[in-house]
């Protein structure tokens, strides 16, 4: 296993300090963005920078010695890193999920697994693997696509359907006719495939990986409807989804700031001649002014919606008694819907800004080129697709959502009602 060193005492423990470190890393990551992209995964020293900044511990509770950051604070950290480089923000979000996974594992075993809160995870939630029940656990086999960060993670979490004697295994409580789980496997037990050649997020190392007949103990598996710690905001079934929207928010903000800076400096060419400058400043161009203002409005309203949705969810669950079921239908769908909107906004804003820059944006060394490719690529993620809006719309009108996990909806086992009082007594 790619074990990290024990937690360092000089790594910040407070959320505020980790956020400041993430912001300080952003210009460093921006300088190294081309290198990260060419490497097609995060270089080892960049991973160490994230570890030293405390990024991977943002999901750990105080009981673990972590900062116990809110969903809003975690999203801010991912946003700050993505301002520097989207691939880094993407991997940091998935890597820091390890602290959230810990809440759904047997606590004694989790502490044996995660020997440092600076370890980090990767993995794929879709249940594309095959897990055969055997004494004490499972034999896991499968291939998973888009394993972002799996080449340098400590633990890899992979979704799989459960079978017994080759037949679909039904949950004993009756909640699922064919059970699925998430399986935690040490990174050394996966095989990464060299197939991550893509349009954007090139540095995220999101290659496919395979696992072949690996034994996974029962207590190294989890489901997000069965927390192993007291109820609270960070043990709700949707918790793993929340901070992902920090990546498009950070990317859009980076592009906006870049173009605003250029606008202050640039002047127009003389109309009718591509070789002579007119001396008219971009900042005095009405079209540019309107475009920038409209992009800022799109960004600002989207970001405000994201954080308000997370805050409301946190308010309802913070005291340990509330759950997502206590939210109104509109409140229930808000994090998924505003998260979807963040991805769409980033793609839309970056494309409009590229239109302003014209041919300057098409050069491979220009950051706008990378932000455009990154924003288009991240908008292909399941959290940004039409199935999210179908799920939201269906929930609002009482129909069947296609991605119930996006809303933290858990099917409760149904207890058959007795036919009569005599049956009940029996």
């Amino acid at each position: 296993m790619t074990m990290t060193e024990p937690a360092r005492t000089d790594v910040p423990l407070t959320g505020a300090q980790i956020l400041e470190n993430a912001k300080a890393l952003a210009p460093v990551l921006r300088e190294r963005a081309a290198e990260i992209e060419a490497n097609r995964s995060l270089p080892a020293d960049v991973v160490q920078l994230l570890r030293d900044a405390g990024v991977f511990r943002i999901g750990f509770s105080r009981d673990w010695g972590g900062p116990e950051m809110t969903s809003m604070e975690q999203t801010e950290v991912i946003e700050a890193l993505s301002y520097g480089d989207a691939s880094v923000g993407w991997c940091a979000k998935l890597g820091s999920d390890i602290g959230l996974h810990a809440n759904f594992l047997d606590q004694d075993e989790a502490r044996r697994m995660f020997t440092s809160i600076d370890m980090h995870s990767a993995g794929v939630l879709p249940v594309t693997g095959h897990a055969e029940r055997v004494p004490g656990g499972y034999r896991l086999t499968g291939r998973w696509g888009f394993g972002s960060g799996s080449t340098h993670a400590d633990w890899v979490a992979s979704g799989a359907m459960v079978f017994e004697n080759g037949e679909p295994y039904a949950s004993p409580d009756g909640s699922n006719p064919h059970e699925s789980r998430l399986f935690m496997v040490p990174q050394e037990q996966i095989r990464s495939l060299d197939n991550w050649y893509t349009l954007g997020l090139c540095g995220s190392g999101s290659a496919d990986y395979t696992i072949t007949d690996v034994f996974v103990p029962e207590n190294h598996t989890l489901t997000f409807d069965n927390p192993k710690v007291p109820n609270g905001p960070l043990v709700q079934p949707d918790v793993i989804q929340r901070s992902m929207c920090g990546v498009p928010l950070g990317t859009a903000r980076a592009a906006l700031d870049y173009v605003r800076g250029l606008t202050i400096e640039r002047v127009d060419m003389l109309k009718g001649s591509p070789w002579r400058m007119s001396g008219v400043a971009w900042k005095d161009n009405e079209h540019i002014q309107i475009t920038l203002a409209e992009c800022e409005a799109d960004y600002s309203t989207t970001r405000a919606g994201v954080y308000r949705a997370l805050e409301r969810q946190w308010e309802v669950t913070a005291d340990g008694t509330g759950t997502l079921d206590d939210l109104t239908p509109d409140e229930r769908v808000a994090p998924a819907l505003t998260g979807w909107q963040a991805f769409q906004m980033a793609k839309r804003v970056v494309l409009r800004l590229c239109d302003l820059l014209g041919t300057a944006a098409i050069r491979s060394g220009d950051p706008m080129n990378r932000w455009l490719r990154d924003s288009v690529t991240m908008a292909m993620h399941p959290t940004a697709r039409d199935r999210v809006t179908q799920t939201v719309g269906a929930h609002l009108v009482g129909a069947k959502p296609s991605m119930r996990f996006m809303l933290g909806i858990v099917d409760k086992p149904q207890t058959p009602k007795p036919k009569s009082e005599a049956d009940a007594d029996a």
Side-chain angles (χ1 to χ4, degrees):
M1 187 189 309
T2 312
M3 298 291 289
T4 59
E5 298 178 358
R8 293 171 41 182
T9 57
D10 60 331
V11 175
L13 291 177
T14 71
Q17 289 172 309
I18 294 174
L19 178 57
E20 286 305 308
N21 273 0
K23 290 179 178 179
L25 273 180
V28 177
L29 300 176
R30 182 78 59 82
E31 286 293 322
R32 299 191 58 183
E35 173 196 348
I36 292 169
E37 183 170 57
N39 195 59
R40 294 187 297 113
S41 64
L42 302 193
D45 67 316
V46 171
V47 176
Q48 189 62 47
L49 286 174
L50 297 175
R51 185 178 295 124
D52 290 344
V55 167
F56 296 130
R57 59 175 57 189
I58 64 176
F60 278 105
S61 67
R62 291 191 183 91
D63 287 343
W64 278 77
E68 196 162 311
M69 297 172 69
T70 67
S71 296
M72 297 77 77
E73 292 169 333
Q74 292 180 46
T75 304
E76 284 185 289
V77 170
I78 303 306
E79 196 177 355
L81 295 169
S82 301
Y83 186 84
D85 182 72
S87 290
V88 173
W90 195 268
C91 290
K93 180 270 178 286
L94 296 169
S96 63
D97 284 345
I98 192 168
L100 304 176
H101 289 141
N103 293 332
F104 297 88
L105 292 164
D106 174 82
Q107 292 300 281
D108 290 337
E109 184 61 23
R111 291 178 187 278
R112 286 188 285 270
M113 295 167 64
F114 308 148
T115 56
S116 164
I117 61 173
D118 295 312
M119 298 176 80
H120 59 291
S121 60
V124 180
L125 292 180
V127 288
T128 59
H130 180 113
E132 188 73 23
R133 285 177 59 85
V134 296
Y138 307 83
R139 305 298 304 190
L140 180 64
T141 297
R143 175 171 173 163
W144 290 263
F146 304 100
S148 305
S150 57
T151 57
H152 56 72
D154 297 294
W155 288 86
V156 179
S158 307
M161 303 301 295
V162 179
F163 296 80
E164 188 170 46
N165 299 320
E167 297 295 327
Y169 176 78
S171 302
D173 62 7
S175 63
N176 197 330
H178 192 179
E179 185 176 280
S180 62
R181 304 185 71 82
L182 200 62
F183 296 81
M184 303 293 296
V185 173
Q187 195 274 344
E188 65 182 8
Q189 293 183 324
I190 77 167
R191 184 171 74 89
S192 294
L193 306 179
D194 186 16
N195 67 347
W196 187 239
Y197 297 88
T198 185
L199 174 70
L201 293 179
C202 301
S204 66
S206 302
D208 291 10
Y209 63 91
T210 62
I211 297 174
T212 304
D213 197 33
V214 168
F215 175 72
V216 183
E218 177 76 38
N219 55 11
H220 286 200
T221 74
L222 63 102
T223 61
F224 290 113
D225 61 347
N226 189 20
K228 305 300 183 182
V229 296
N231 183 46
L234 294 180
V235 296
Q236 303 303 313
D238 74 326
V239 66
I240 214 74
Q241 305 293 328
R242 297 178 193 167
S243 63
M244 183 66 81
C245 58
V247 183
L249 289 176
T251 303
R253 184 69 265 165
L256 275 164
D257 287 351
Y258 178 75
V259 174
R260 284 174 62 176
L262 288 180
T263 298
I264 294 173
E265 299 174 354
R266 286 187 65 166
V267 295
D268 278 327
M269 292 181 184
L270 183 64
K271 187 175 181 180
S273 171
W275 312 116
R276 296 174 59 193
M277 305 303 289
S278 68
V280 177
W282 266 35
K283 65 181 180 180
D284 296 323
N285 183 302
E286 183 175 325
H287 170 65
I288 293 173
Q289 294 166 349
I290 291 172
T291 300
L292 285 176
E294 289 176 346
C295 288
E296 285 288 352
D298 204 356
Y299 167 82
S300 298
T301 54
T302 298
R303 187 177 188 275
V306 163
Y307 281 95
R308 181 53 194 146
L310 294 176
E311 287 165 0
R312 178 56 185 155
Q313 191 181 66
W314 194 272
E315 291 166 2
V316 170
T317 57
D319 66 359
T321 61
T323 69
L324 300 186
D325 291 335
D326 296 312
L327 294 166
T328 67
D330 285 11
E331 292 170 341
R332 184 71 171 259
V333 303
L337 189 59
T338 57
W340 171 88
Q341 175 67 9
F343 284 95
Q344 299 303 321
M345 176 277 298
K347 180 174 67 172
R348 187 167 57 244
V349 163
V350 173
L351 182 57
R352 292 194 70 184
L353 295 175
C354 284
D355 281 342
L356 279 184
L357 295 183
T359 54
I362 68 175
R363 300 182 185 278
S364 60
D366 191 272
M368 286 301 302
N369 181 292
R370 184 178 302 110
W371 288 320
L372 177 61
R373 291 184 288 104
D374 286 346
S375 62
V376 169
T377 300
M378 68 179 72
M380 302 297 179
H381 191 265
T383 56
R385 305 301 287 166
D386 287 347
R387 287 186 68 193
V388 175
T389 49
Q390 184 278 326
T391 292
V392 168
H395 183 70
L396 292 176
V397 298
K400 184 179 180 180
S402 61
M403 299 176 71
R404 296 163 69 83
F405 73 92
M406 288 292 300
L407 309 182
I409 297 174
V410 177
D411 291 317
K412 301 293 191 297
Q414 300 296 315
T415 303
K417 294 182 179 179
K419 297 179 179 179
S420 67
E421 291 184 6
D423 292 332
D425 291 337

